[in-house]
mmCIF file of all heavy atoms in Angstrom:
data_model
loop_
_atom_site.group_PDB
_atom_site.id
_atom_site.type_symbol
_atom_site.label_atom_id
_atom_site.label_comp_id
_atom_site.label_asym_id
_atom_site.label_seq_id
_atom_site.Cartn_x
_atom_site.Cartn_y
_atom_site.Cartn_z
ATOM 1 N N ILE A 8 5.678 -34.168 -13.314
ATOM 2 C CA ILE A 8 4.534 -35.045 -12.873
ATOM 3 C C ILE A 8 4.113 -34.686 -11.446
ATOM 4 O O ILE A 8 2.884 -34.571 -11.173
ATOM 5 C CB ILE A 8 4.915 -36.536 -12.974
ATOM 6 C CG1 ILE A 8 5.119 -36.920 -14.456
ATOM 7 C CG2 ILE A 8 3.852 -37.404 -12.361
ATOM 8 C CD1 ILE A 8 5.630 -38.299 -14.607
ATOM 9 N N LEU A 9 5.073 -34.447 -10.549
ATOM 10 C CA LEU A 9 4.762 -34.072 -9.160
ATOM 11 C C LEU A 9 4.052 -32.717 -9.131
ATOM 12 O O LEU A 9 3.128 -32.545 -8.363
ATOM 13 C CB LEU A 9 6.027 -34.074 -8.345
ATOM 14 C CG LEU A 9 6.616 -35.424 -7.964
ATOM 15 C CD1 LEU A 9 7.929 -35.240 -7.201
ATOM 16 C CD2 LEU A 9 5.657 -36.243 -7.124
ATOM 17 N N VAL A 14 -1.026 -29.570 -8.263
ATOM 18 C CA VAL A 14 -2.051 -28.631 -8.645
ATOM 19 C C VAL A 14 -3.438 -29.298 -8.760
ATOM 20 O O VAL A 14 -4.436 -28.793 -8.367
ATOM 21 C CB VAL A 14 -1.689 -27.890 -9.922
ATOM 22 C CG1 VAL A 14 -2.798 -26.948 -10.422
ATOM 23 C CG2 VAL A 14 -0.396 -27.114 -9.775
ATOM 24 N N GLN A 30 -22.408 -29.900 4.226
ATOM 25 C CA GLN A 30 -22.632 -30.896 5.290
ATOM 26 C C GLN A 30 -22.578 -30.300 6.675
ATOM 27 O O GLN A 30 -23.404 -30.541 7.563
ATOM 28 C CB GLN A 30 -21.613 -32.042 5.165
ATOM 29 C CG GLN A 30 -21.781 -32.951 3.995
ATOM 30 C CD GLN A 30 -23.006 -33.873 4.193
ATOM 31 O OE1 GLN A 30 -24.036 -33.620 3.618
ATOM 32 N NE2 GLN A 30 -22.822 -34.933 4.927
ATOM 33 N N MET A 55 3.766 -23.244 11.327
ATOM 34 C CA MET A 55 4.650 -23.406 10.135
ATOM 35 C C MET A 55 5.656 -22.285 10.031
ATOM 36 O O MET A 55 6.847 -22.483 9.737
ATOM 37 C CB MET A 55 3.808 -23.485 8.878
ATOM 38 C CG MET A 55 2.963 -24.724 8.797
ATOM 39 S SD MET A 55 1.785 -24.658 7.429
ATOM 40 C CE MET A 55 2.871 -24.637 6.017
ATOM 41 N N PRO A 66 6.756 -7.712 6.759
ATOM 42 C CA PRO A 66 6.212 -6.539 6.069
ATOM 43 C C PRO A 66 6.231 -5.327 7.029
ATOM 44 O O PRO A 66 6.066 -5.504 8.255
ATOM 45 C CB PRO A 66 4.824 -6.950 5.761
ATOM 46 C CG PRO A 66 4.758 -8.395 5.814
ATOM 47 C CD PRO A 66 5.759 -8.783 6.840
ATOM 48 N N LEU A 79 -9.342 -9.415 5.164
ATOM 49 C CA LEU A 79 -10.751 -9.138 5.504
ATOM 50 C C LEU A 79 -11.626 -9.245 4.274
ATOM 51 O O LEU A 79 -12.757 -9.758 4.346
ATOM 52 C CB LEU A 79 -10.895 -7.757 6.140
ATOM 53 C CG LEU A 79 -10.336 -7.588 7.542
ATOM 54 C CD1 LEU A 79 -10.346 -6.108 7.953
ATOM 55 C CD2 LEU A 79 -11.147 -8.432 8.576
ATOM 56 N N GLY A 81 -10.729 -10.926 1.143
ATOM 57 C CA GLY A 81 -10.640 -12.191 0.501
ATOM 58 C C GLY A 81 -11.047 -13.409 1.335
ATOM 59 O O GLY A 81 -11.345 -14.450 0.809
ATOM 60 N N THR A 97 -27.072 -24.678 -3.392
ATOM 61 C CA THR A 97 -26.589 -26.053 -3.384
ATOM 62 C C THR A 97 -25.077 -26.065 -3.620
ATOM 63 O O THR A 97 -24.514 -25.066 -4.202
ATOM 64 C CB THR A 97 -27.223 -26.947 -4.479
ATOM 65 O OG1 THR A 97 -26.871 -26.399 -5.756
ATOM 66 C CG2 THR A 97 -28.783 -26.915 -4.341
ATOM 67 N N LEU A 114 -12.673 -8.432 -15.610
ATOM 68 C CA LEU A 114 -13.598 -7.300 -15.795
ATOM 69 C C LEU A 114 -13.216 -6.158 -14.816
ATOM 70 O O LEU A 114 -13.233 -4.948 -15.189
ATOM 71 C CB LEU A 114 -15.041 -7.700 -15.616
ATOM 72 C CG LEU A 114 -15.637 -8.516 -16.717
ATOM 73 C CD1 LEU A 114 -17.049 -8.980 -16.337
ATOM 74 C CD2 LEU A 114 -15.685 -7.776 -18.012
ATOM 75 N N GLY A 130 -15.387 -12.622 -25.782
ATOM 76 C CA GLY A 130 -16.227 -13.778 -25.994
ATOM 77 C C GLY A 130 -16.264 -14.710 -24.814
ATOM 78 O O GLY A 130 -17.328 -15.288 -24.464
ATOM 79 N N PHE A 140 -25.903 -17.477 -16.035
ATOM 80 C CA PHE A 140 -27.376 -17.177 -16.127
ATOM 81 C C PHE A 140 -28.169 -18.523 -16.153
ATOM 82 O O PHE A 140 -29.198 -18.645 -15.414
ATOM 83 C CB PHE A 140 -27.651 -16.375 -17.321
ATOM 84 C CG PHE A 140 -29.140 -16.197 -17.583
ATOM 85 C CD1 PHE A 140 -29.891 -15.305 -16.820
ATOM 86 C CD2 PHE A 140 -29.743 -16.941 -18.536
ATOM 87 C CE1 PHE A 140 -31.232 -15.163 -17.086
ATOM 88 C CE2 PHE A 140 -31.108 -16.823 -18.813
ATOM 89 C CZ PHE A 140 -31.874 -15.899 -18.067
ATOM 90 N N VAL A 142 -27.261 -21.393 -14.884
ATOM 91 C CA VAL A 142 -27.151 -22.041 -13.586
ATOM 92 C C VAL A 142 -28.061 -21.350 -12.572
ATOM 93 O O VAL A 142 -28.856 -22.052 -11.886
ATOM 94 C CB VAL A 142 -25.744 -22.044 -13.019
ATOM 95 C CG1 VAL A 142 -25.622 -22.526 -11.601
ATOM 96 C CG2 VAL A 142 -24.776 -22.890 -13.906
ATOM 97 N N THR A 188 0.116 -15.201 3.427
ATOM 98 C CA THR A 188 -1.040 -16.016 3.747
ATOM 99 C C THR A 188 -1.304 -15.992 5.217
ATOM 100 O O THR A 188 -2.501 -15.995 5.631
ATOM 101 C CB THR A 188 -0.838 -17.504 3.281
ATOM 102 O OG1 THR A 188 -0.496 -17.495 1.881
ATOM 103 C CG2 THR A 188 -2.086 -18.344 3.467
ATOM 104 N N TYR A 189 -0.289 -16.036 6.031
ATOM 105 C CA TYR A 189 -0.482 -16.038 7.471
ATOM 106 C C TYR A 189 -1.189 -14.740 7.956
ATOM 107 O O TYR A 189 -2.216 -14.783 8.665
ATOM 108 C CB TYR A 189 0.895 -16.165 8.181
ATOM 109 C CG TYR A 189 0.793 -15.858 9.680
ATOM 110 C CD1 TYR A 189 0.146 -16.754 10.542
ATOM 111 C CD2 TYR A 189 1.351 -14.725 10.215
ATOM 112 C CE1 TYR A 189 0.021 -16.510 11.922
ATOM 113 C CE2 TYR A 189 1.274 -14.457 11.574
ATOM 114 C CZ TYR A 189 0.639 -15.336 12.438
ATOM 115 O OH TYR A 189 0.556 -15.096 13.751
ATOM 116 N N ALA A 217 -19.150 -33.208 12.366
ATOM 117 C CA ALA A 217 -18.958 -31.787 11.930
ATOM 118 C C ALA A 217 -17.589 -31.292 12.356
ATOM 119 O O ALA A 217 -16.911 -30.590 11.636
ATOM 120 C CB ALA A 217 -20.049 -30.976 12.603
ATOM 121 N N LEU A 219 -14.786 -33.062 12.609
ATOM 122 C CA LEU A 219 -13.766 -33.636 11.713
ATOM 123 C C LEU A 219 -13.828 -32.886 10.363
ATOM 124 O O LEU A 219 -12.754 -32.599 9.767
ATOM 125 C CB LEU A 219 -14.008 -35.108 11.457
ATOM 126 C CG LEU A 219 -13.684 -36.010 12.665
ATOM 127 C CD1 LEU A 219 -14.099 -37.472 12.354
ATOM 128 C CD2 LEU A 219 -12.167 -35.950 12.903
ATOM 129 N N GLY A 232 -4.369 -26.885 0.347
ATOM 130 C CA GLY A 232 -4.573 -26.526 -1.045
ATOM 131 C C GLY A 232 -3.575 -25.387 -1.502
ATOM 132 O O GLY A 232 -3.032 -25.428 -2.599
ATOM 133 N N SER A 245 2.169 -20.188 -14.965
ATOM 134 C CA SER A 245 0.961 -19.846 -14.240
ATOM 135 C C SER A 245 -0.284 -20.125 -15.132
ATOM 136 O O SER A 245 -1.331 -20.524 -14.680
ATOM 137 C CB SER A 245 0.971 -18.381 -13.822
ATOM 138 O OG SER A 245 1.105 -17.548 -14.976
ATOM 139 N N ALA A 263 -20.650 -32.795 -4.848
ATOM 140 C CA ALA A 263 -21.997 -32.500 -4.428
ATOM 141 C C ALA A 263 -22.889 -33.734 -4.617
ATOM 142 O O ALA A 263 -23.803 -34.001 -3.791
ATOM 143 C CB ALA A 263 -22.555 -31.339 -5.228
ATOM 144 N N ARG A 272 -29.140 -31.342 -12.650
ATOM 145 C CA ARG A 272 -30.051 -31.256 -13.747
ATOM 146 C C ARG A 272 -29.348 -30.863 -15.024
ATOM 147 O O ARG A 272 -28.246 -30.325 -14.972
ATOM 148 C CB ARG A 272 -31.197 -30.258 -13.389
ATOM 149 C CG ARG A 272 -32.090 -30.691 -12.280
ATOM 150 C CD ARG A 272 -32.922 -29.545 -11.752
ATOM 151 N NE ARG A 272 -33.771 -28.993 -12.774
ATOM 152 C CZ ARG A 272 -34.999 -29.373 -13.097
ATOM 153 N NH1 ARG A 272 -35.521 -30.357 -12.447
ATOM 154 N NH2 ARG A 272 -35.692 -28.754 -14.010
ATOM 155 N N LEU A 288 -11.606 -19.986 -23.010
ATOM 156 C CA LEU A 288 -11.312 -18.979 -24.020
ATOM 157 C C LEU A 288 -10.467 -17.838 -23.439
ATOM 158 O O LEU A 288 -9.480 -17.420 -24.018
ATOM 159 C CB LEU A 288 -12.649 -18.364 -24.526
ATOM 160 C CG LEU A 288 -13.254 -18.925 -25.821
ATOM 161 C CD1 LEU A 288 -14.483 -18.188 -26.194
ATOM 162 C CD2 LEU A 288 -12.228 -18.890 -26.941
#
Side-chain angles (χ1 to χ4, degrees):
I8 293 174
L9 287 175
V14 176
Q30 288 289 100
M55 293 171 64
L79 290 171
T97 65
L114 288 175
F140 171 77
V142 173
T188 305
Y189 169 69
L219 288 175
S245 58
R272 293 166 59 90
L288 265 182

